[in-house]
mmCIF file of all heavy atoms in Angstrom:
data_model
loop_
_atom_site.group_PDB
_atom_site.id
_atom_site.type_symbol
_atom_site.label_atom_id
_atom_site.label_comp_id
_atom_site.label_asym_id
_atom_site.label_seq_id
_atom_site.Cartn_x
_atom_site.Cartn_y
_atom_site.Cartn_z
ATOM 1 N N LEU A 547 -2.664 12.952 8.453
ATOM 2 C CA LEU A 547 -1.410 12.270 8.706
ATOM 3 C C LEU A 547 -1.476 10.822 8.245
ATOM 4 O O LEU A 547 -2.434 10.106 8.531
ATOM 5 C CB LEU A 547 -1.088 12.295 10.200
ATOM 6 C CG LEU A 547 0.188 11.586 10.627
ATOM 7 C CD1 LEU A 547 1.400 12.396 10.173
ATOM 8 C CD2 LEU A 547 0.207 11.401 12.127
ATOM 9 N N SER A 548 -0.475 10.401 7.515
ATOM 10 C CA SER A 548 -0.317 9.003 7.135
ATOM 11 C C SER A 548 1.113 8.620 7.481
ATOM 12 O O SER A 548 2.058 9.243 6.990
ATOM 13 C CB SER A 548 -0.584 8.811 5.646
ATOM 14 O OG SER A 548 -0.450 7.452 5.308
ATOM 15 N N VAL A 549 1.266 7.644 8.355
ATOM 16 C CA VAL A 549 2.581 7.265 8.857
ATOM 17 C C VAL A 549 2.774 5.768 8.693
ATOM 18 O O VAL A 549 1.869 4.983 8.974
ATOM 19 C CB VAL A 549 2.727 7.637 10.354
ATOM 20 C CG1 VAL A 549 4.051 7.155 10.914
ATOM 21 C CG2 VAL A 549 2.577 9.120 10.564
ATOM 22 N N SER A 550 3.959 5.394 8.256
ATOM 23 C CA SER A 550 4.331 3.994 8.175
ATOM 24 C C SER A 550 5.325 3.721 9.297
ATOM 25 O O SER A 550 6.305 4.443 9.443
ATOM 26 C CB SER A 550 4.971 3.716 6.814
ATOM 27 O OG SER A 550 5.317 2.363 6.722
ATOM 28 N N VAL A 551 5.044 2.699 10.096
ATOM 29 C CA VAL A 551 5.918 2.329 11.211
ATOM 30 C C VAL A 551 6.340 0.878 11.003
ATOM 31 O O VAL A 551 5.502 0.028 10.689
ATOM 32 C CB VAL A 551 5.188 2.480 12.564
ATOM 33 C CG1 VAL A 551 6.058 2.017 13.716
ATOM 34 C CG2 VAL A 551 4.735 3.911 12.781
ATOM 35 N N THR A 552 7.618 0.604 11.184
ATOM 36 C CA THR A 552 8.122 -0.762 11.061
ATOM 37 C C THR A 552 8.661 -1.229 12.402
ATOM 38 O O THR A 552 9.017 -0.432 13.258
ATOM 39 C CB THR A 552 9.227 -0.855 9.996
ATOM 40 O OG1 THR A 552 10.286 0.026 10.351
ATOM 41 C CG2 THR A 552 8.704 -0.510 8.621
ATOM 42 N N GLY A 553 8.709 -2.526 12.564
ATOM 43 C CA GLY A 553 9.186 -3.131 13.801
ATOM 44 C C GLY A 553 8.212 -4.192 14.266
ATOM 45 O O GLY A 553 7.368 -4.659 13.506
ATOM 46 N N ALA A 554 8.309 -4.578 15.515
ATOM 47 C CA ALA A 554 7.409 -5.578 16.093
ATOM 48 C C ALA A 554 6.087 -4.904 16.433
ATOM 49 O O ALA A 554 6.021 -4.096 17.358
ATOM 50 C CB ALA A 554 8.034 -6.201 17.324
ATOM 51 N N ILE A 555 5.038 -5.236 15.691
ATOM 52 C CA ILE A 555 3.730 -4.597 15.843
ATOM 53 C C ILE A 555 2.700 -5.670 16.162
ATOM 54 O O ILE A 555 2.706 -6.745 15.565
ATOM 55 C CB ILE A 555 3.345 -3.854 14.546
ATOM 56 C CG1 ILE A 555 4.385 -2.765 14.267
ATOM 57 C CG2 ILE A 555 1.938 -3.274 14.646
ATOM 58 C CD1 ILE A 555 4.387 -2.275 12.854
ATOM 59 N N THR A 556 1.810 -5.366 17.099
ATOM 60 C CA THR A 556 0.759 -6.302 17.486
ATOM 61 C C THR A 556 -0.589 -5.611 17.400
ATOM 62 O O THR A 556 -0.748 -4.478 17.851
ATOM 63 C CB THR A 556 0.976 -6.810 18.929
ATOM 64 O OG1 THR A 556 2.254 -7.404 19.023
ATOM 65 C CG2 THR A 556 -0.094 -7.818 19.319
ATOM 66 N N SER A 557 -1.558 -6.323 16.843
ATOM 67 C CA SER A 557 -2.937 -5.851 16.785
ATOM 68 C C SER A 557 -3.803 -6.940 17.402
ATOM 69 O O SER A 557 -3.667 -8.119 17.066
ATOM 70 C CB SER A 557 -3.346 -5.613 15.325
ATOM 71 O OG SER A 557 -4.699 -5.260 15.235
ATOM 72 N N VAL A 558 -4.691 -6.548 18.310
ATOM 73 C CA VAL A 558 -5.527 -7.538 18.976
ATOM 74 C C VAL A 558 -6.882 -6.926 19.318
ATOM 75 O O VAL A 558 -6.978 -5.741 19.643
ATOM 76 C CB VAL A 558 -4.832 -8.091 20.255
ATOM 77 C CG1 VAL A 558 -4.645 -7.014 21.299
ATOM 78 C CG2 VAL A 558 -5.581 -9.287 20.814
ATOM 79 N N GLY A 559 -7.909 -7.737 19.223
ATOM 80 C CA GLY A 559 -9.232 -7.326 19.664
ATOM 81 C C GLY A 559 -9.340 -7.512 21.160
ATOM 82 O O GLY A 559 -8.814 -8.485 21.719
ATOM 83 N N ILE A 560 -9.986 -6.568 21.831
ATOM 84 C CA ILE A 560 -10.168 -6.660 23.281
ATOM 85 C C ILE A 560 -11.627 -6.393 23.607
ATOM 86 O O ILE A 560 -12.355 -5.777 22.827
ATOM 87 C CB ILE A 560 -9.259 -5.675 24.048
ATOM 88 C CG1 ILE A 560 -9.500 -4.238 23.586
ATOM 89 C CG2 ILE A 560 -7.799 -6.050 23.884
ATOM 90 C CD1 ILE A 560 -8.758 -3.200 24.391
ATOM 91 N N LEU A 561 -12.046 -6.870 24.754
ATOM 92 C CA LEU A 561 -13.404 -6.641 25.230
ATOM 93 C C LEU A 561 -13.309 -5.898 26.548
ATOM 94 O O LEU A 561 -12.682 -6.378 27.499
ATOM 95 C CB LEU A 561 -14.132 -7.969 25.422
ATOM 96 C CG LEU A 561 -15.609 -7.890 25.745
ATOM 97 C CD1 LEU A 561 -16.378 -7.227 24.603
ATOM 98 C CD2 LEU A 561 -16.169 -9.283 26.003
ATOM 99 N N ARG A 562 -13.888 -4.683 26.581
ATOM 100 C CA ARG A 562 -13.896 -3.859 27.797
ATOM 101 C C ARG A 562 -15.296 -3.363 28.037
ATOM 102 O O ARG A 562 -15.901 -2.771 27.149
ATOM 103 C CB ARG A 562 -12.988 -2.649 27.607
ATOM 104 C CG ARG A 562 -11.663 -2.807 28.228
ATOM 105 C CD ARG A 562 -10.890 -1.503 28.246
ATOM 106 N NE ARG A 562 -9.494 -1.864 28.140
ATOM 107 C CZ ARG A 562 -8.572 -1.176 27.538
ATOM 108 N NH1 ARG A 562 -8.855 -0.038 26.978
ATOM 109 N NH2 ARG A 562 -7.354 -1.604 27.496
ATOM 110 N N ASP A 563 -15.803 -3.582 29.218
ATOM 111 C CA ASP A 563 -17.142 -3.113 29.591
ATOM 112 C C ASP A 563 -18.184 -3.543 28.571
ATOM 113 O O ASP A 563 -19.095 -2.792 28.219
ATOM 114 C CB ASP A 563 -17.158 -1.579 29.737
ATOM 115 C CG ASP A 563 -16.182 -1.089 30.789
ATOM 116 O OD1 ASP A 563 -16.015 -1.805 31.800
ATOM 117 O OD2 ASP A 563 -15.592 -0.013 30.607
ATOM 118 N N GLY A 564 -18.030 -4.759 28.037
ATOM 119 C CA GLY A 564 -18.996 -5.315 27.109
ATOM 120 C C GLY A 564 -18.893 -4.804 25.684
ATOM 121 O O GLY A 564 -19.707 -5.152 24.846
ATOM 122 N N ALA A 565 -17.895 -3.968 25.375
ATOM 123 C CA ALA A 565 -17.742 -3.430 24.027
ATOM 124 C C ALA A 565 -16.418 -3.893 23.428
ATOM 125 O O ALA A 565 -15.392 -3.896 24.102
ATOM 126 C CB ALA A 565 -17.793 -1.905 24.062
ATOM 127 N N ALA A 566 -16.465 -4.260 22.153
ATOM 128 C CA ALA A 566 -15.267 -4.704 21.455
ATOM 129 C C ALA A 566 -14.467 -3.505 20.968
ATOM 130 O O ALA A 566 -15.028 -2.531 20.478
ATOM 131 C CB ALA A 566 -15.649 -5.594 20.283
ATOM 132 N N SER A 567 -13.159 -3.587 21.129
ATOM 133 C CA SER A 567 -12.237 -2.550 20.668
ATOM 134 C C SER A 567 -11.041 -3.214 20.020
ATOM 135 O O SER A 567 -10.830 -4.412 20.145
ATOM 136 C CB SER A 567 -11.740 -1.692 21.840
ATOM 137 O OG SER A 567 -12.785 -0.989 22.437
ATOM 138 N N MET A 568 -10.239 -2.397 19.351
ATOM 139 C CA MET A 568 -8.986 -2.858 18.764
ATOM 140 C C MET A 568 -7.841 -2.181 19.494
ATOM 141 O O MET A 568 -7.920 -0.993 19.794
ATOM 142 C CB MET A 568 -8.911 -2.478 17.281
ATOM 143 C CG MET A 568 -9.884 -3.214 16.402
ATOM 144 S SD MET A 568 -9.647 -5.002 16.428
ATOM 145 C CE MET A 568 -7.943 -5.154 15.942
ATOM 146 N N GLU A 569 -6.805 -2.950 19.770
ATOM 147 C CA GLU A 569 -5.620 -2.390 20.405
ATOM 148 C C GLU A 569 -4.439 -2.610 19.472
ATOM 149 O O GLU A 569 -4.188 -3.729 19.032
ATOM 150 C CB GLU A 569 -5.372 -3.065 21.741
ATOM 151 C CG GLU A 569 -4.262 -2.425 22.539
ATOM 152 C CD GLU A 569 -4.206 -2.969 23.945
ATOM 153 O OE1 GLU A 569 -4.924 -2.454 24.815
ATOM 154 O OE2 GLU A 569 -3.442 -3.938 24.154
ATOM 155 N N LEU A 570 -3.747 -1.533 19.153
ATOM 156 C CA LEU A 570 -2.590 -1.559 18.272
ATOM 157 C C LEU A 570 -1.377 -1.139 19.079
ATOM 158 O O LEU A 570 -1.364 -0.053 19.660
ATOM 159 C CB LEU A 570 -2.808 -0.590 17.105
ATOM 160 C CG LEU A 570 -1.687 -0.449 16.088
ATOM 161 C CD1 LEU A 570 -1.485 -1.769 15.341
ATOM 162 C CD2 LEU A 570 -2.010 0.671 15.111
ATOM 163 N N ALA A 571 -0.372 -2.010 19.161
ATOM 164 C CA ALA A 571 0.853 -1.705 19.901
ATOM 165 C C ALA A 571 1.984 -1.524 18.905
ATOM 166 O O ALA A 571 2.332 -2.440 18.156
ATOM 167 C CB ALA A 571 1.183 -2.815 20.891
ATOM 168 N N LEU A 572 2.534 -0.308 18.892
ATOM 169 C CA LEU A 572 3.613 0.048 17.979
ATOM 170 C C LEU A 572 4.923 0.097 18.747
ATOM 171 O O LEU A 572 4.940 0.478 19.918
ATOM 172 C CB LEU A 572 3.347 1.422 17.364
ATOM 173 C CG LEU A 572 2.022 1.567 16.630
ATOM 174 C CD1 LEU A 572 1.803 3.017 16.235
ATOM 175 C CD2 LEU A 572 2.000 0.681 15.414
ATOM 176 N N PRO A 573 6.022 -0.265 18.089
ATOM 177 C CA PRO A 573 7.315 -0.200 18.788
ATOM 178 C C PRO A 573 7.626 1.231 19.185
ATOM 179 O O PRO A 573 7.061 2.181 18.648
ATOM 180 C CB PRO A 573 8.302 -0.720 17.740
ATOM 181 C CG PRO A 573 7.635 -0.495 16.433
ATOM 182 C CD PRO A 573 6.159 -0.606 16.683
ATOM 183 N N ASP A 574 8.530 1.373 20.126
ATOM 184 C CA ASP A 574 8.961 2.695 20.567
ATOM 185 C C ASP A 574 9.687 3.369 19.402
ATOM 186 O O ASP A 574 10.846 3.080 19.134
ATOM 187 C CB ASP A 574 9.868 2.572 21.785
ATOM 188 C CG ASP A 574 10.157 3.917 22.412
ATOM 189 O OD1 ASP A 574 9.462 4.896 22.075
ATOM 190 O OD2 ASP A 574 11.074 3.997 23.234
ATOM 191 N N VAL A 575 8.959 4.222 18.685
ATOM 192 C CA VAL A 575 9.506 4.882 17.499
ATOM 193 C C VAL A 575 10.250 6.144 17.900
ATOM 194 O O VAL A 575 10.281 6.519 19.069
ATOM 195 C CB VAL A 575 8.367 5.215 16.502
ATOM 196 C CG1 VAL A 575 7.757 3.936 15.976
ATOM 197 C CG2 VAL A 575 7.301 6.084 17.130
ATOM 198 N N ASP A 576 10.834 6.818 16.915
ATOM 199 C CA ASP A 576 11.582 8.026 17.251
ATOM 200 C C ASP A 576 10.650 9.060 17.899
ATOM 201 O O ASP A 576 9.446 9.073 17.637
ATOM 202 C CB ASP A 576 12.307 8.585 16.021
ATOM 203 C CG ASP A 576 11.392 9.291 15.049
ATOM 204 O OD1 ASP A 576 10.932 10.400 15.369
ATOM 205 O OD2 ASP A 576 11.145 8.740 13.962
ATOM 206 N N PRO A 577 11.176 9.896 18.768
ATOM 207 C CA PRO A 577 10.336 10.804 19.557
ATOM 208 C C PRO A 577 9.416 11.708 18.727
ATOM 209 O O PRO A 577 8.262 11.913 19.093
ATOM 210 C CB PRO A 577 11.349 11.635 20.347
ATOM 211 C CG PRO A 577 12.542 10.762 20.448
ATOM 212 C CD PRO A 577 12.584 9.983 19.156
ATOM 213 N N GLN A 578 9.892 12.233 17.605
ATOM 214 C CA GLN A 578 9.038 13.119 16.807
ATOM 215 C C GLN A 578 7.888 12.341 16.176
ATOM 216 O O GLN A 578 6.752 12.802 16.163
ATOM 217 C CB GLN A 578 9.847 13.826 15.711
ATOM 218 C CG GLN A 578 9.015 14.836 14.920
ATOM 219 C CD GLN A 578 8.388 15.914 15.804
ATOM 220 O OE1 GLN A 578 9.073 16.520 16.620
ATOM 221 N NE2 GLN A 578 7.097 16.128 15.672
ATOM 222 N N GLN A 579 8.153 11.144 15.673
ATOM 223 C CA GLN A 579 7.092 10.328 15.083
ATOM 224 C C GLN A 579 6.068 9.955 16.156
ATOM 225 O O GLN A 579 4.871 9.967 15.906
ATOM 226 C CB GLN A 579 7.681 9.081 14.432
ATOM 227 C CG GLN A 579 6.682 8.320 13.585
ATOM 228 C CD GLN A 579 7.327 7.165 12.866
ATOM 229 O OE1 GLN A 579 8.097 6.399 13.451
ATOM 230 N NE2 GLN A 579 7.026 7.018 11.590
ATOM 231 N N ARG A 580 6.538 9.647 17.351
ATOM 232 C CA ARG A 580 5.629 9.324 18.452
ATOM 233 C C ARG A 580 4.742 10.521 18.776
ATOM 234 O O ARG A 580 3.531 10.382 18.922
ATOM 235 C CB ARG A 580 6.437 8.895 19.683
ATOM 236 C CG ARG A 580 5.559 8.508 20.856
ATOM 237 C CD ARG A 580 6.362 7.937 22.016
ATOM 238 N NE ARG A 580 7.423 8.816 22.459
ATOM 239 C CZ ARG A 580 8.724 8.523 22.408
ATOM 240 N NH1 ARG A 580 9.135 7.376 21.915
ATOM 241 N NH2 ARG A 580 9.619 9.383 22.841
ATOM 242 N N ARG A 581 5.311 11.715 18.840
ATOM 243 C CA ARG A 581 4.505 12.918 19.114
ATOM 244 C C ARG A 581 3.497 13.157 17.996
ATOM 245 O O ARG A 581 2.344 13.500 18.261
ATOM 246 C CB ARG A 581 5.410 14.132 19.293
ATOM 247 C CG ARG A 581 6.123 14.177 20.630
ATOM 248 C CD ARG A 581 6.841 15.501 20.849
ATOM 249 N NE ARG A 581 7.974 15.670 19.951
ATOM 250 C CZ ARG A 581 9.210 15.250 20.210
ATOM 251 N NH1 ARG A 581 9.473 14.631 21.344
ATOM 252 N NH2 ARG A 581 10.185 15.436 19.341
ATOM 253 N N ASP A 582 3.919 12.954 16.747
ATOM 254 C CA ASP A 582 3.000 13.124 15.615
ATOM 255 C C ASP A 582 1.827 12.160 15.704
ATOM 256 O O ASP A 582 0.676 12.543 15.495
ATOM 257 C CB ASP A 582 3.731 12.915 14.284
ATOM 258 C CG ASP A 582 4.717 14.020 13.961
ATOM 259 O OD1 ASP A 582 4.665 15.096 14.614
ATOM 260 O OD2 ASP A 582 5.545 13.798 13.061
ATOM 261 N N LEU A 583 2.122 10.897 16.016
ATOM 262 C CA LEU A 583 1.055 9.901 16.142
ATOM 263 C C LEU A 583 0.120 10.229 17.299
ATOM 264 O O LEU A 583 -1.101 10.159 17.160
ATOM 265 C CB LEU A 583 1.644 8.507 16.341
ATOM 266 C CG LEU A 583 2.191 7.818 15.104
ATOM 267 C CD1 LEU A 583 2.998 6.599 15.510
ATOM 268 C CD2 LEU A 583 1.062 7.431 14.173
#
């Protein structure tokens, strides 16, 4: 799957339990695209 999403998108690094992760927040997209993702 390759999906392009437009809108207000935020990407941020987070630290949880001593491990670095990435958090990607996508806008509330159409229901089918959300289910696909």
Side-chain angles (χ1 to χ4, degrees):
L547 179 72
S548 181
V549 176
S550 181
V551 177
T552 58
I555 299 161
T556 303
S557 175
V558 65
I560 57 174
L561 188 62
R562 260 191 211 147
D563 301 325
S567 296
M568 291 300 304
E569 187 170 274
L570 178 65
L572 303 172
D574 189 14
V575 295
D576 75 72
Q578 184 58 49
Q579 191 175 46
R580 182 174 55 243
R581 284 189 292 272
D582 290 346
L583 283 168

